[in-house]
Amino acid sequence: MLEIAGLAKRYESRAGTVTALAETSLSVATGECVALVGPSGCGKSTLLRLVAGLEKPTAGRIRYDAGGERDIGVVFQEPRLMPWLDVAGNIRFGLLDLPRDEQDRRVAEALHLVHLEHAAKALPKQLSGGMSQRVAIARAIARRPALLLLDEPFSALDAFTKAALQEEILRIRDETGVGLIVVTHDVEEAVLLADRVAVMAGRPGRIALTLAIDLPRPRERAGHGVQDLRARILEALGQDRIETRAA
Ligand code: ADP
Ligand code: MG
């Protein structure tokens, strides 16, 4: 569904050249969930922005073919809602090119998918952080994308809300068949969510290692399978000792 080959991005400025992403190749199958993990500044967001078409690559190509006109959705760390529009209005905002009755149908479908029917008329300032982020997910999913890009979507949330939303995004994937690329610096989250984890390294940004996560679902956060893979990835990141000390 998505094929990235030889993709690179350099930023030029008076201070010099930053290779945010060196030649990178990655493919994502229909309905697959790939997590990108890596230290701050290793090019995770750059890679997502290139895939989303928000920036132009310096080299390489991106082939996205989901059949028909199904597009790519994006969810950021902050919900980025319009404060003057209610929840339904925020979801509708991304659908204004569609006929009114189709908008209504999609808004209802998206609200149902994130279990926020009761909050349709609420304003963003009345929502908790977790609810706001569910609205952001609903807004993206309302366009029925074949691929959803999430850039550290849960890192601003408390541990309980985060765990609930991790389960929710997996349920949404099951119900819609949407593929996911999730950027996270939470290695446990990557192992819980992903079919494959790409471990990135910085200077220059690149994928250092890709690991298949062949654990059955639902996955148990504290189970051996999840924790063993988490330890392996932390080791690959060179962060195993730092995290152990912090914990
Ligand atoms: P990550 O999301 O992994 O933390 P980013 O993709 O945001 O990393 O950034 C990768 C590198 O590219 C960093 O060194 C960052 O400073 C640099 N970078 C990102 N965006 C720009 C920009 N618009 N101009 C110049 N440098 C940038
Ligand atoms: Mg980032």
Side-chain angles (χ1 to χ4, degrees):
M1 171 178 57
L2 179 75
E3 261 185 64
I4 296 167
L7 196 66
K9 179 70 181 179
R10 282 187 296 279
Y11 292 107
E12 317 274 352
S13 73
R14 267 186 304 164
T17 302
V18 178
T19 303
L21 198 66
E23 288 208 4
T24 293
S25 300
L26 176 74
S27 54
V28 181
T30 302
E32 189 181 17
C33 176
V34 174
L36 304 177
V37 299
S40 183
C42 72
K44 303 181 295 295
S45 296
T46 300
L47 180 52
L48 274 206
R49 285 199 301 272
L50 292 172
V51 173
L54 300 172
E55 279 185 42
K56 293 252 171 296
T58 311
R61 63 183 169 80
I62 301 169
R63 244 191 52 209
Y64 171 75
D65 181 10
E69 293 179 1
R70 300 188 61 189
D71 54 6
I72 297 179
V74 191
V75 174
F76 299 96
Q77 183 177 339
E78 341 74 57
R80 303 190 183 187
L81 304 178
M82 312 281 176
W84 61 89
L85 293 177
D86 65 15
V87 165
N90 268 282
I91 298 172
R92 188 186 300 279
F93 194 80
L95 303 169
L96 296 178
D97 55 318
L98 302 175
R100 182 77 195 194
D101 59 337
E102 182 64 16
Q103 292 176 22
D104 293 343
R105 222 177 357 256
R106 300 270 190 116
V107 170
E109 175 188 280
L111 281 171
H112 178 69
L113 210 50
V114 297
H115 297 158
L116 277 182
E117 292 100 329
H118 62 283
K121 293 198 161 62
L123 286 169
K125 66 176 180 203
Q126 299 172 297
L127 306 176
S128 66
M131 284 169 89
S132 302
Q133 201 57 331
R134 278 153 71 197
V135 177
I137 292 169
R139 180 182 52 194
I141 217 81
R143 291 204 65 89
R144 298 184 189 150
L147 180 64
L148 189 58
L149 312 176
L150 303 111
D151 195 348
E152 311 219 9
F154 312 137
S155 43
L157 305 173
D158 65 83
F160 294 107
T161 308
K162 182 181 192 168
L165 277 176
Q166 287 165 348
E167 287 189 14
E168 191 141 329
I169 199 74
L170 288 176
R171 178 181 55 73
I172 289 171
R173 176 174 77 144
D174 286 346
E175 289 180 20
T176 62
V178 69
L180 307 170
I181 302 181
V182 186
V183 164
T184 177
H185 55 243
D186 179 339
V187 175
E188 186 177 274
E189 174 169 284
V191 176
L192 280 170
L193 297 182
D195 302 309
R196 233 163 1 117
V197 173
V199 179
M200 295 183 66
R203 297 164 192 272
R206 65 196 185 279
I207 294 177
L209 165 80
T210 307
L211 207 69
I213 310 296
D214 288 322
L215 298 172
R217 297 178 189 271
R219 295 176 180 165
E220 232 179 289
R221 191 176 298 273
H224 283 301
V226 168
Q227 292 306 321
D228 288 354
L229 278 163
R230 172 176 170 274
R232 261 180 73 187
I233 293 170
L234 284 171
E235 199 176 334
L237 286 165
Q239 288 181 357
D240 48 335
R241 277 170 309 190
I242 303 167
E243 282 234 348
T244 315
R245 234 183 288 136

